[in-house]
Amino acid sequence: MGAALLLALGLLAQSFSLSLGSPEPRRLSTLDPWRRAQMRGRVRRAWVIPPISVSENHKSLPYPLVQIKSDKQQVGSVIYSIQGPGVDEEPRGVFSIDKFTGKVFLNATLDREKTDRFRLRAFALDLGGSTLEDPTDLEIVVVDQNDNRPAFQQEVFTGRVLEGTVPGTFVTRAEATDADDPETDNAALRYSLLGQGGHELFTIDELTGEIRTVQVGLDREAVAVYNLTVQVADMSGDGLTATALAIISVDDINDNAPEFTRDEFLMEAPEAVSGVVVGRLEVEDRDLPGSPNWAAQFIILGGDPDGQFAIRTDPKTNEGVLSMVKPLDYETQELYQLMVLVQNVAPLQVAAPRAKRGQARVNIHVRDINEAPVFRENPLRTSLAEGAPPGTSVATFSAQDPDTQQLQRVSYSKDYDPEDWLQVDGATGHIQTQRVLSPASPFLKDGWYRAIILALDDASPPCTATGTLSVEILEVNDHAPVLAPPLLDSLCSEPHQGTGLLLGATDEDLPPHGAPFHFQLSPRLPELSRNWSLSPVNVSHARLRLRHQVPEGLHHLSILLRDSGQPPQHREQPLNVTVCRCSQDGACLPGAAALRAGGAGISLGVLAIMLGSVLLLLLLVLPVALRVRLRQRTQGKGVLPGLQDDLRDNILNYDEQGGGEEDQDAYDISQLRHPAELTAQSTLGRPLLRRDTPHSRMPPQPPRAMPTSPANIKDFINEGLEAADSDPSVPPYDTALIYDFEGEGSVAGTLSSILSSLGDQDQDYDYLRDWGPRFARLADMYGHP
């Protein structure tokens, strides 16, 4: 017999028929001794329990939900049980069953928002624990009640909209939720606006919560912010309600033009200053302060042709700040009338009304003040020739007082004159020099001298002007160029050899009175240009060359130098040039090498060498002959015949400045000291000898013949010098000292006795008579009879 299911429902009228899917059967636990494994084979499900509905928030507990009953056993011999959430799973204790009667009870208040249904499993066992029926599902559906109010997602909603916008413009959206069953009216929400502050300018969509403008007329200058109360209600607007705040800000547009507060402004400005604020221009603008729709800008339409004024905007007050950008002159114009326009930075809306006071007149009176004198030319530049004497006029540095309507006197003084070079007339400003300015002054910068002059009026308080005087010291061509000593003073005798002689010049004058220099062979000596040539190298150098071969030796040239000054200065200078025989590389050969390079023939150079050798030989022989002659005259008539006083006490022995250590005793004046001994020695028949005569001196050599070949000249000269040096009766060959040439015309004459013997006339000793009676006897002996 099949199983029968008996349902006892306590509240059948409140139940709902719900079709629920049956879950998979739970696997029996081995911990349940009253359960047994299902038999193999097909088992017919004998009981099916439809879903049971129970309302949430039920107050009468425990509340019987359903009774299950099996007809396979007698009453009292079947044990019933349930399992699942709410029984032996969380939340525990919500449901229970009477194991003998099969009645299922609700033991706790249900909350559909937490759990909207429960799925339990029911079991029927016999007293031995064997399964009488297959486990079946027991589904309990919690029926929703409107126990939750709708809630807005935020307490305050914000939105922005431009003033003057068209109707239907979206502003913001209010959103709310409801925890009740969305499939029922308990969660059917409707939105509405409770208040708009007396203005019906906005509307809300009752289903979506979108807030939009509903008509024109939004004016930020009238109402800048709207506070709307938004309400939401469930049960399609008839249930529980909630409210929130919607704040709508009206954004500004430039629908108001700025305006001056007055039609005319009166101001006063001082003269002779700039950058001074004259006054402020007040304006009004109803647009949002600080925005480009409110910010004003000012334009001067007329009355300022020279651009002497400017207007800037104060960003805090939006006022126009009028200032002077150029100094005003009271004597030129006393009143300025400006026409000024004001407008916004942002463009004005087309539909906005035009301003009534968009323009204003500004009257500016110029206030007369004491102005400093003004130099007619500042800085004043002038020039003056160097070396100008004291009292030379420099310039008149005068100033003019711009206060023509006031009788004032201007005086002048120096403020900066580091060399104290200038003198200023205090009444006229005329400047002149009071001494000569040195060209080496450290205050001359690139040829300019700078001074500062003051001009002071006699007003109260007085004003001072400063003027700069710059004087250019003009260079005067007062120095002629000078030939610089050449690095080399020799030229090759062959014109094609060497690079010539590089000549340079210097000038103490500064440009443009110096280089370029002009080099020229002296016009006084036209024969120079036949043998020599000068070619410019650069502005300060020229090159000297031979036109053709000239004899070797020293050549005296004269060079004419001229600078580029105005007027030019010139100087003629001598130049000694040695012409020599050169090697292939253009270098002068030594003396011996030059002789060998001359070949066997007798050239003009060889003849000159021979002539020099002969002259040198004569210089060596003539002193010996003169000494012998003098000695003979001394022996014949004594040193000073007829001299009553002995001169030996009056002759002093000083150091001799001779030709070296060997020449200290070259001039033997012992006869002046001991004439008796000299006479005794001379009577013995021996010639007088020098003190440095060697004991083993050579006997006198016989006269030598003149050389017949130029190649023997060197040996002939050396042998002659050696013979003269070994002769004990004459001074050594190096007694004749060679000194540098010191010019001509000396009243003392030459100091060399050898050279004096070469003159055409005898030595004049008549001047000894002017030295006293003792020297008069010498004058009688050697002077003219």
Side-chain angles (χ1 to χ4, degrees):
M1 172 181 180
L5 175 63
L6 300 178
L7 299 179
L9 302 177
L11 298 173
L12 185 59
Q14 298 180 6
S15 63
F16 294 87
S17 298
L18 299 176
S19 300
L20 300 176
S22 300
E24 295 294 331
R26 296 171 59 92
R27 180 175 298 177
L28 299 179
S29 175
T30 57
L31 297 180
D32 299 331
W34 48 272
R35 294 182 180 181
R36 62 182 180 180
Q38 295 182 357
M39 300 298 293
R40 291 187 177 181
R42 183 176 180 274
V43 179
R44 182 174 60 89
R45 297 181 61 89
W47 53 346
V48 178
I49 303 175
I52 301 171
S53 298
V54 58
S55 176
E56 64 174 337
N57 301 321
H58 204 285
K59 303 300 183 181
S60 299
L61 300 176
Y63 176 73
L65 294 178
V66 68
Q67 182 179 10
I68 59 177
K69 193 171 186 180
S70 176
D71 57 354
K72 291 185 177 181
Q73 295 288 348
Q74 296 293 328
V75 178
S77 60
V78 180
I79 299 175
Y80 300 96
S81 64
I82 55 176
Q83 294 180 351
V87 181
D88 56 352
E89 299 178 10
E90 294 294 337
R92 298 177 184 272
V94 177
F95 303 101
S96 63
I97 189 172
D98 189 331
K99 64 181 179 178
F100 296 109
T101 62
K103 291 182 179 180
V104 179
F105 295 92
L106 174 64
N107 300 322
T109 303
L110 298 178
D111 188 357
R112 192 206 65 84
E113 285 70 38
K114 292 182 178 180
T115 307
D116 59 348
R117 66 187 59 213
F118 296 88
R119 289 186 176 86
L120 307 179
R121 304 206 74 181
F123 301 91
L125 304 176
D126 58 12
L127 296 179
S130 299
T131 301
L132 297 178
E133 301 285 349
D134 292 333
T136 188
D137 294 331
L138 178 61
E139 184 174 5
I140 300 174
V141 178
V142 181
V143 179
D144 181 53
Q145 289 186 341
N146 192 17
D147 57 347
N148 291 279
R149 290 182 176 274
F152 283 100
Q153 293 184 356
Q154 55 196 60
E155 296 180 358
V156 177
F157 297 92
T158 59
R160 310 191 70 88
V161 63
L162 288 174
E163 62 175 333
T165 188
V166 298
T169 301
F170 174 82
V171 179
T172 187
R173 179 180 180 182
E175 296 182 84
T177 59
D178 197 316
D180 292 326
D181 188 359
E183 301 296 331
T184 65
D185 285 345
N186 296 334
L189 304 181
R190 298 294 184 270
Y191 298 91
S192 62
L193 295 177
L194 298 182
Q196 301 186 31
H199 303 278
E200 299 296 332
L201 300 177
F202 303 95
T203 184
I204 190 171
D205 190 306
E206 64 174 5
L207 297 178
T208 63
E210 292 183 353
I211 300 176
R212 297 177 179 270
T213 58
V214 68
Q215 61 181 5
V216 297
L218 286 176
D219 187 2
R220 191 208 62 84
E221 289 72 37
V223 179
V225 178
Y226 291 88
N227 297 319
L228 307 181
T229 302
V230 182
Q231 176 180 281
V232 62
D234 57 12
M235 300 296 292
S236 298
D238 296 331
L240 302 176
T241 62
T243 59
L245 183 63
I247 299 177
I248 300 175
S249 300
V250 181
D251 290 337
D252 182 57
I253 61 174
N254 192 15
D255 56 348
N256 294 279
E259 296 182 355
F260 287 103
T261 57
R262 288 178 290 175
D263 295 330
E264 187 175 4
F265 295 87
L266 299 178
M267 298 180 183
E268 187 181 62
E271 68 168 336
V273 293
S274 61
V276 178
V277 175
V278 179
R280 288 175 172 262
L281 307 176
E282 299 178 357
V283 296
E284 293 178 345
D285 196 316
R286 298 178 57 197
D287 291 319
L288 180 64
S291 68
N293 302 324
W294 173 81
Q297 59 182 9
F298 301 87
I299 301 175
I300 299 177
L301 299 178
D304 185 23
D306 298 329
Q308 294 177 297
F309 299 93
I311 305 177
R312 62 177 178 86
T313 304
D314 188 332
K316 295 182 179 180
T317 63
N318 211 28
E319 296 175 330
V321 181
L322 178 64
S323 61
M324 296 182 299
V325 296
K326 295 181 181 179
L328 305 179
D329 186 9
Y330 174 82
E331 287 71 24
T332 303
Q333 186 172 351
E334 301 180 12
L335 176 65
Y336 290 86
Q337 292 183 332
L338 308 181
M339 184 61 65
V340 182
L341 170 69
V342 61
Q343 61 186 15
N344 290 126
V345 174
L348 189 67
Q349 294 292 323
V350 177
R354 296 298 173 182
K356 298 179 180 179
R357 294 178 177 174
Q359 297 183 12
R361 178 180 289 105
V362 181
N363 297 323
I364 304 173
H365 293 272
V366 182
R367 184 174 69 252
D368 186 21
I369 63 174
N370 183 33
E371 301 175 72
V374 179
F375 285 98
R376 295 184 178 91
E377 183 181 356
N378 193 12
L380 178 62
R381 299 177 182 270
T382 185
S383 60
L384 199 64
E386 67 171 340
T392 303
S393 177
V394 178
T396 299
F397 202 10
S398 60
Q400 182 179 4
D401 196 330
D403 298 314
T404 56
Q405 299 183 10
Q406 303 177 18
L407 297 178
Q408 297 179 357
R409 185 174 61 87
V410 179
S411 59
Y412 304 90
S413 62
K414 292 191 302 182
D415 181 62
Y416 179 74
D417 182 15
E419 285 285 357
D420 195 23
W421 178 49
L422 304 174
Q423 183 178 6
V424 181
D425 189 314
T428 63
H430 181 71
I431 302 172
Q432 64 182 9
T433 63
Q434 59 183 358
R435 61 186 184 86
V436 178
L437 179 64
S438 172
S441 171
F443 298 99
L444 276 177
K445 305 298 183 183
D446 298 329
W448 288 86
Y449 183 82
R450 177 175 172 269
I452 296 178
I453 309 301
L454 300 180
L456 178 69
D457 62 20
D458 58 352
S460 181
C463 288
T464 304
T466 301
T468 301
L469 174 65
S470 296
V471 182
E472 182 183 13
I473 307 302
L474 299 177
E475 179 75 15
V476 177
N477 191 19
D478 53 354
H479 294 87
V482 178
L483 189 65
L487 298 177
L488 297 175
D489 59 353
S490 60
L491 281 174
C492 295
S493 59
E494 295 292 338
H496 65 276
Q497 288 185 328
T499 59
L501 185 61
L502 185 64
L503 303 180
T506 59
D507 199 325
E508 296 183 16
D509 293 320
L510 297 177
H513 301 299
F517 300 118
H518 177 71
F519 296 80
Q520 182 183 0
L521 293 170
S522 175
R524 296 186 301 100
L525 304 173
E527 64 274 7
L528 294 178
S529 60
R530 292 194 293 269
N531 299 330
W532 308 85
S533 66
L534 275 173
S535 59
V537 176
N538 51 34
V539 296
S540 60
H541 289 78
R543 193 174 301 278
L544 178 67
R545 295 180 182 272
L546 283 171
R547 294 185 181 273
H548 50 77
Q549 186 175 3
V550 299
E552 292 88 346
L554 184 64
H555 292 261
H556 302 283
L557 282 71
S558 182
I559 306 299
L560 179 64
L561 297 176
R562 187 173 68 251
D563 58 22
S564 299
Q566 292 297 329
Q569 293 284 348
H570 60 272
R571 184 195 302 268
E572 187 170 337
Q573 285 187 258
L575 177 64
N576 296 328
V577 180
T578 301
V579 178
C580 61
R581 186 70 58 86
C582 295
S583 61
Q584 295 299 327
D585 58 356
C588 283
L589 294 173
L595 290 175
R596 289 193 298 268
I602 300 177
S603 63
L604 183 60
V606 175
L607 293 177
I609 294 176
M610 294 177 63
L611 180 60
S613 301
V614 173
L615 292 177
L616 181 59
L617 182 59
L618 292 176
L619 291 177
L620 295 174
V621 174
L622 286 178
V624 178
L626 291 175
R627 187 176 182 87
V628 172
R629 180 184 177 186
L630 179 62
R631 185 175 300 164
Q632 292 175 356
R633 294 181 60 182
T634 304
Q635 292 177 359
K637 58 180 179 179
V639 179
L640 297 175
L643 186 61
Q644 299 177 357
D645 298 332
D646 191 0
L647 298 179
R648 289 174 294 176
D649 297 336
N650 297 324
I651 297 177
L652 303 180
N653 184 21
Y654 293 98
D655 292 339
E656 297 176 11
Q657 306 296 327
E661 294 180 358
E662 295 182 358
D663 302 333
Q664 293 294 326
D665 300 326
Y667 302 99
D668 188 4
I669 62 175
S670 60
Q671 61 178 341
L672 297 177
R673 299 172 181 169
H674 308 287
E677 296 179 3
L678 293 175
T679 305
Q681 293 179 4
S682 63
T683 57
L684 297 178
R686 294 186 300 172
L688 296 176
L689 302 178
R690 301 200 314 265
R691 296 179 181 179
D692 60 341
T693 303
H695 297 286
S696 59
R697 62 185 179 87
M698 298 296 293
Q701 300 293 328
R704 297 180 297 124
M706 292 296 292
T708 59
S709 174
N712 299 329
I713 292 178
K714 178 179 179 182
D715 297 335
F716 178 83
I717 294 175
N718 292 335
E719 292 173 2
L721 294 176
E722 182 177 0
D725 188 43
S726 61
D727 189 354
S729 62
V730 297
Y733 74 93
D734 58 343
T735 300
L737 304 180
I738 304 303
Y739 294 90
D740 195 8
F741 180 76
E742 296 181 354
E744 299 177 354
S746 175
V747 296
T750 178
L751 298 177
S752 174
S753 61
I754 299 177
L755 296 178
S756 65
S757 65
L758 300 178
D760 296 334
Q761 299 179 358
D762 295 336
Q763 180 69 29
D764 186 11
Y765 294 97
D766 293 337
Y767 66 91
L768 295 177
R769 293 186 177 91
D770 299 332
W771 290 12
R774 297 191 179 188
F775 290 91
R777 184 65 56 86
L778 292 174
D780 294 336
M781 294 173 56
Y782 295 96
H784 295 284

